[in-house]
Amino acid sequence: VSRFPDHVDIEISSVCNMKCPMCYTTTDEFKINIKKQFMDFDLFKKIVDECVKNDTYSIRLSLRGEPFIHKQVIEMIRYAKEKGIKEVSSLTNNLALTPALFEEAMKAGLDWLTISFDGLGDTYEWIRQPAKFNESYEKIKKYKLIKERAYSRKPVIKVQTVWPAIKDNAGEYLEAFEPYVDDIAINPLVDYLHKDEDIIYVNNFICPVLYQRLVVGSDGNALLCSNDEFCLHPVGDANKES
């Protein structure tokens, strides 16, 4: 176990601009208990400065909300890269992200960008409300052109979907995105709403994330891990502690 986290998830926004049916951010519990807010830039800089000082390899600007609705997201990417973070990544639902904003992120030094894109056509629009499929899909095509024109390999673009959204047309999904992205991930549907009664527990399982990462919410509270979305087990406060 290293003295300092290898990776830090920094939630720059707890606000989301989508209403996906499987997401905890749509629940009354989340709306009541988690304040909608954007991380203060000075707090972000404090976290990044400590990460650089202690040789943290990577940070990810993402957690419960949509990072690209933060007005200073580009400045945050640029600050982290200029300070010396080797890998800066983010995760987006692609609604607020535009080709112009993508180009700014590329120039600022973003290394990885994961785009959550569940299903095709009507399925996508049902899950990723209020996004429109054609508009979101065409933007991804433009991201590739922007990278090609700049002769840039970064950011590496990964598209990901939950399996139930494409189980009937997985081949079509792969064919739609393979020409335009660097990686495609298909994930099982995780029960973020805690309604799954069929959870299978692995005996003697020890999660390695606790010993590799730190997760800091937009309010500065450090969560137990990225699955502690309601901050039920806070482990510290970046506003007051190192």
Side-chain angles (χ1 to χ4, degrees):
V1 180
S2 61
R3 189 181 64 84
F4 205 83
D6 299 322
H7 172 91
V8 178
D9 287 309
I10 306 175
E11 178 189 71
I12 64 173
S13 169
S14 62
V15 184
C16 190
N17 52 354
M18 278 191 175
K19 298 178 181 179
C20 304
M22 69 286 198
C23 185
Y24 50 78
T25 61
T26 64
T27 64
D28 291 338
E29 183 183 2
F30 187 85
K31 294 174 183 177
I32 292 171
N33 293 295
I34 304 301
K35 183 180 178 181
K36 289 185 175 182
Q37 66 181 67
F38 300 102
M39 178 174 281
D40 182 77
F41 197 11
D42 286 337
L43 176 59
F44 176 81
K45 290 191 287 187
K46 174 181 182 288
I47 296 168
V48 169
D49 290 349
E50 285 199 56
C51 288
V52 172
K53 181 180 178 181
N54 290 278
D55 298 321
T56 292
Y57 179 81
S58 58
I59 64 170
R60 181 173 67 170
L61 310 185
S62 174
L63 189 62
R64 296 168 292 191
E66 169 55 43
F68 283 92
I69 61 177
H70 195 301
K71 293 182 179 180
Q72 294 173 292
V73 60
I74 301 301
E75 290 92 331
M76 289 173 162
I77 295 168
R78 184 179 295 112
Y79 184 85
K81 290 302 296 183
E82 289 180 350
K83 283 291 181 174
I85 297 293
K86 296 178 180 66
E87 185 173 284
V88 177
S89 63
S90 190
L91 187 150
T92 181
N93 60 31
N94 206 37
L95 185 58
L97 188 61
T98 63
L101 192 56
F102 173 86
E103 187 167 11
E104 287 188 60
M106 177 188 72
K107 291 178 179 178
L110 186 65
D111 295 291
W112 277 82
L113 180 67
T114 299
I115 302 172
S116 293
F117 204 107
D118 297 308
L120 301 172
D122 292 342
T123 300
Y124 172 81
E125 293 184 3
W126 179 76
I127 296 174
R128 290 284 164 181
Q129 303 170 26
K132 300 301 179 184
F133 172 77
N134 287 334
E135 180 181 345
S136 193
Y137 181 58
E138 290 301 317
K139 285 196 290 186
I140 293 175
K141 290 183 180 181
K142 291 177 182 177
Y143 303 158
K144 177 180 172 63
L145 287 175
I146 290 167
K147 286 174 59 178
E148 288 178 342
R149 289 170 185 163
Y151 299 99
S152 178
R153 295 177 62 190
K154 300 289 184 74
V156 175
I157 300 175
K158 180 175 78 171
V159 166
Q160 65 178 14
T161 178
V162 291
W163 168 247
I166 63 159
K167 61 184 179 64
D168 296 326
N169 59 350
E172 184 181 350
Y173 185 90
L174 294 173
E175 290 174 5
F177 287 103
E178 195 169 23
Y180 306 110
V181 301
D182 303 293
D183 193 15
I184 300 172
I186 300 170
N187 305 316
L189 181 60
V190 177
D191 177 30
Y192 288 117
L193 298 179
H194 302 284
K195 294 181 180 179
D196 193 344
E197 298 178 354
D198 300 318
I199 297 174
I200 299 173
Y201 292 95
V202 179
N203 291 331
N204 301 317
F205 174 77
I206 297 174
C207 180
V209 172
L210 295 170
Y211 311 101
Q212 298 168 342
R213 297 183 171 208
L214 185 68
V215 181
V216 183
S218 54
D219 58 359
N221 280 318
L223 288 61
L224 179 64
C225 74
S226 58
N227 284 328
D228 184 21
E229 58 267 7
F230 290 98
C231 198
L232 298 177
H233 309 284
V235 296
D237 184 348
N239 293 292
K240 304 173 183 177
E241 303 169 86
S242 67

